[in-house]
Amino acid sequence: MELVILGSGGYGRTIYDIAEQLGYNPITVLDDSNPKMPLDSFEKYIAEDTCFIPAFGNNAFRLEWMNRIENAGGRLTQLIHPTAYVSPRAIVESGTVVLPKAVINTGTKVGRGCIINIGAIVDHDCVLGEGVHIAPGAIVKGENEIQTLSKIDSGEVVDRGMMK
């Protein structure tokens, strides 16, 4: 399966690393900093055996590109690092990346295009809207709803039953 990563910044390089570990081959990176491989060239990569992941830290920009890819007929994927724990009773939607040592516990629903960063914990029965970023080491305690495009910063703890 071929993977096309949109974006080559820090997050793009992180996604590239995870994709290699997951066995994607080949991996193509599109970025406007490379005039031979600009973002707008993504449509020529749309194929049955190709999937896409937008690698932008800006939540709204990431969702914008996800919609653009899907509207053009491209297929989004999700990437889950092998050291992350995702409960078999959790739902992780397309375009989401779960980084090393992150935890997504039972009954949790992670919306499209989220980033569950290194060592982040999302406990049981949470709902994360689209484009949410749970930063490194952040903790979202059980039964929380995190609104679309929100960011929970590193070290932040969202107490149980809160809406953010």
Side-chain angles (χ1 to χ4, degrees), residues 1-5 15 19 22 24 50-54 66 69-70 74-80 92-97 112-114:
M1 176 73 64
E2 180 173 359
L3 177 66
V4 178
I5 300 171
I15 286 179
L22 293 173
Y24 280 92
T50 301
C51 54
F52 293 82
I53 194 97
M66 287 176 55
I69 291 163
E70 288 184 322
R75 187 168 40 114
L76 297 168
T77 191
Q78 59 174 236
L79 299 176
I80 300 173
V92 178
E93 292 189 8
S94 65
T96 291
V97 177
R112 294 170 65 246
C114 292

Side-chain angles (χ1 to χ4, degrees), residues 32-127:
D32 288 342
S33 66
N34 180 352
K36 294 180 181 178
M37 305 283 281
L39 294 172
D40 283 337
S41 67
F42 80 95
E43 288 188 47
K44 76 178 188 179
Y45 295 93
I46 294 174
E48 184 65 32
D49 63 345
T50 301
C51 54
F52 293 82
I53 194 97
F56 306 112
N58 179 299
N59 294 342
F61 193 63
R62 188 170 60 256
L63 282 184
E64 179 184 317
W65 270 99
M66 287 176 55
N67 292 332
R68 192 168 171 188
I69 291 163
E70 288 184 322
N71 289 339
R75 187 168 40 114
L76 297 168
T77 191
Q78 59 174 236
L79 299 176
I80 300 173
H81 191 274
T83 66
Y85 171 74
V86 178
S87 168
R89 292 187 174 95
I91 297 168
V92 178
E93 292 189 8
S94 65
T96 291
V97 177
V98 183
L99 281 90
K101 306 292 185 184
V103 173
I104 300 173
N105 217 339
T106 192
T108 290
K109 181 178 186 250
V110 180
R112 294 170 65 246
C114 292
I115 301 170
I116 311 301
N117 220 315
I118 297 168
I121 298 171
V122 182
D123 202 4
H124 66 88
D125 302 308
C126 290
V127 176

